[in-house]
Amino acid sequence: MSGRRLPLLVMRHGPAEALTAKHGRDADRRLTPQGRARTERACAALSRLLPPLERIYTSPYLRASETAELLAAALEVPAPPVTPLLAPGFERARLAQMLAEGGGSGVAIVAHEPDLSEFIAWLSGARVEMGKGTSCLTELAEPGTAQLFAIYPLTALDKLDDD
């Protein structure tokens, strides 16, 4: 990244359906109607709080891609591409390298726990708990190194959008 710092928003998907026989696979679970509404409000609040972000990447799991689409709409950026690099159990170093090589003014990722908390800890040394819909703003200094700036729990973002 040659001395350049890249704002990186790390976001866990919003509240999703419980896994039942109707889904067949965990990857097919959607946001609940209430989870979708709360996530949409949270994304609207984030759009007022964040530095400019121009790219969003999402896990291939449905609940993450639905969350990423809501974030993209709120930030008025292109539809988020799905990447297997954000599937559960992702390889941190490969993801960090892809993000660093992408260029631009800022990027967001939407994925799952425990991978996101582990990724943030690996990048910054910070221990965070990424509840559903929680976002964490960092600044990627180089692949594998970041500074943590803010944690936005879903409940706090929900209240911000009421203002």
Side-chain angles (χ1 to χ4, degrees), residues 24-153:
R25 301 179 321 136
D26 182 38
D28 297 331
R29 293 190 299 138
R30 308 182 73 88
L31 296 177
T32 64
Q34 180 185 20
R36 184 176 191 81
R38 291 185 70 203
T39 302
E40 192 169 26
R41 287 192 304 271
C43 290
L46 283 170
S47 73
R48 296 188 307 272
L49 296 169
L50 297 175
L53 302 176
E54 61 185 38
R55 294 177 289 139
I56 300 171
Y57 295 100
T58 184
S59 155
Y61 282 34
L62 184 57
R63 61 194 177 272
S65 63
E66 288 178 331
T67 299
E69 289 167 7
L70 293 172
L71 182 61
L75 298 178
E76 299 179 353
V77 299
V82 170
T83 177
L85 289 176
L86 286 168
F90 66 76
E91 189 178 322
R92 297 180 293 236
R94 285 187 60 209
L95 175 62
Q97 188 65 44
M98 181 207 58
L99 295 172
E101 291 172 352
S105 62
V107 64
I109 59 172
V110 180
H112 314 274
E113 276 296 283
D115 299 299
L116 294 178
S117 293
E118 292 170 0
F119 184 59
I120 292 166
W122 178 75
L123 285 172
S124 68
R127 294 180 61 121
V128 299
E129 186 176 317
M130 297 290 290
K132 290 179 180 138
T134 295
S135 297
C136 182
L137 181 61
T138 68
E139 189 174 76
L140 192 62
E142 58 187 67
T145 306
Q147 181 177 354
L148 179 69
F149 283 102
I151 298 172
Y152 304 107

